[in-house]
Amino acid sequence: MQTYAVGKSQQFPVGVTFGVKAPKGLTVEGFADDKNPFVPPKKPYVFRKDQLRDALAFLERPRGDGLYIVGPTGAGKSSLIRQAAARLHWPVQEVNCHRRLELTDLIGQFKLVNGTMQYMYGPASTAIRDGHILILNEIDFNEPGEIAGLNTVLDGAPLVIPENGGEVIHPHAKFRLVVTGNSSGGGDQTGLYQGVLQQNVAFLDRFRFMEAGYMEPDEEVTLLGNLVPEIPEEIRRRMVKVANEVRRLFVGDDKNPGTISTPISTRGLQRWACLALDFKSAPNALEYALERTVLLRAQPEERTAILRIAKDVFGELWQAKADKGKGTPSPPDAASAAV
């Protein structure tokens, strides 16, 4: 059985590692081995100080807890942990939950390999054994009775696998469990997320909670700048403004429910920017990319509303060409592409 356990630990300076303002001597523990195949790839990411503080405090000292991150779709719940792990060289096992996910999918099961039955360890048993971070995405889509099987492991008890001859796996000191959800486990009262299930109270009681909302506009502008620096800041700012207007109509408020069921998440915003660059030769790259990001999956009336928001926010720049060299958009009649 080949294992990829975490190796020698290493201290990382918080400010330099995560690109945030932090005391010079402040460090966080990670690992020296950056070649572990389960360490996530490092990607552009803007860490928010409050969220990073909660995440690092958990990774450093979980004190027997799991971490439950709640927030709207595409707000960066999983990527917060994934990108923190990438910079700390901390291996990650990641699973997307759904109603048909069973505990054996997480722990392991016998499978036919080259004509013989072999026990194949699942992501949970691998993470528990080797000291990885186990991320369970969209935990509130899963049947609560299945995931509750991890309760004893969170309490520090060993994982026992009866199907594999009663094998006992003692939790590695660096094992961490992180779950994400659009709800906080009590079910969705807003009607925005179909399929969300109420979770087991005993399971939820084993977690500390943190909230991950959408980034502030300046943060998203910076994120897009890191991802697609070819797009001028003015275009990026207007993209972010469009996304926030659509999110406002998605979430609604205390007096008015949301009127749009298809938000432009941070993930979607990044996709829009990347596609606008990829399709820069299209007659209107911004609209062409927005269609493939969100419009084509929205209802007809929502599609019209989102497109109207975009045109209003961009104004004459909606069909302008963004010239990186000059840093300012060209007049609409001087270009056949938007980016």
Side-chain angles (χ1 to χ4, degrees), residues 71-331:
T73 182
K77 300 182 293 294
S78 304
S79 57
L80 167 65
I81 301 300
R82 194 185 304 124
Q83 289 307 308
R87 287 153 175 80
L88 297 175
H89 307 158
W90 202 319
V92 169
Q93 302 288 327
E94 191 165 358
V95 178
N96 291 323
C97 295
H98 52 82
R99 289 194 180 211
R100 296 185 299 277
L101 183 72
E102 298 181 353
L103 187 61
T104 54
D105 297 320
L106 298 176
I107 302 302
Q109 52 194 302
F110 278 97
K111 294 184 179 180
L112 186 63
V113 180
N114 297 326
T116 62
M117 295 299 291
Q118 296 182 22
Y119 189 82
M120 307 298 292
Y121 293 91
S125 56
T126 300
I128 293 167
R129 179 192 66 210
D130 295 344
H132 299 183
I133 301 171
L134 175 62
I135 302 177
L136 300 180
N137 291 316
E138 313 297 354
I139 189 71
D140 42 6
F141 281 4
N142 212 81
E143 290 293 342
E146 292 293 333
I147 303 298
L150 295 176
N151 283 3
T152 56
V153 176
L154 282 172
D155 291 339
L159 173 67
V160 180
I161 309 178
E163 296 83 358
N164 198 32
E167 180 181 6
V168 176
I169 298 178
H170 292 275
H172 194 289
K174 296 302 182 183
F175 165 64
R176 304 288 186 265
L177 175 59
V178 178
V179 304
T180 72
N182 297 134
S183 75
S184 56
D188 176 32
Q189 308 301 320
T190 68
L192 297 176
Y193 302 103
Q194 296 182 5
V196 164
L197 301 174
Q198 185 172 353
Q199 296 301 300
N200 182 282
V201 173
F203 180 70
L204 296 176
D205 193 48
R206 288 167 166 82
F207 288 84
R208 65 179 72 174
F209 283 71
M210 65 171 285
E211 188 173 17
Y214 290 120
M215 291 181 173
E216 293 297 320
D218 286 345
E219 294 172 333
E220 286 193 315
V221 171
T222 299
L223 177 63
L224 294 185
N226 293 336
L227 183 66
V228 281
E230 299 88 346
I231 297 180
E233 183 175 340
E234 181 59 28
I235 297 293
R236 288 185 272 122
R237 285 196 177 279
R238 298 198 189 205
M239 283 182 158
V240 170
K241 186 173 181 180
V242 170
N244 278 297
E245 285 296 313
V246 174
R247 292 167 192 165
R248 183 178 60 81
L249 294 177
F250 171 72
V251 175
D253 54 37
D254 295 337
K255 297 181 180 179
N256 301 298
T259 56
I260 285 181
S261 61
T262 310
I264 302 178
S265 65
T266 299
R267 183 191 304 120
L269 185 61
Q270 293 178 78
R271 183 181 299 121
W272 183 18
C274 289
L275 291 179
L277 194 63
D278 291 345
F279 294 113
K280 61 184 178 182
S281 61
N284 186 342
L286 286 171
E287 183 171 342
Y288 193 86
L290 186 61
E291 286 177 346
R292 280 137 189 83
T293 298
V294 66
L295 295 181
L296 293 179
R297 65 184 172 94
Q299 296 298 319
E301 60 275 12
E302 294 182 359
R303 189 180 308 173
T304 300
I306 295 171
L307 188 56
R308 184 173 60 248
I309 290 170
K311 289 181 177 179
D312 288 346
V313 168
F314 274 89
E316 65 175 11
L317 299 183
W318 185 238
Q319 295 193 32
K321 180 178 180 180
D323 187 333
K324 179 186 175 184
K326 296 178 181 179
T328 56
S330 304

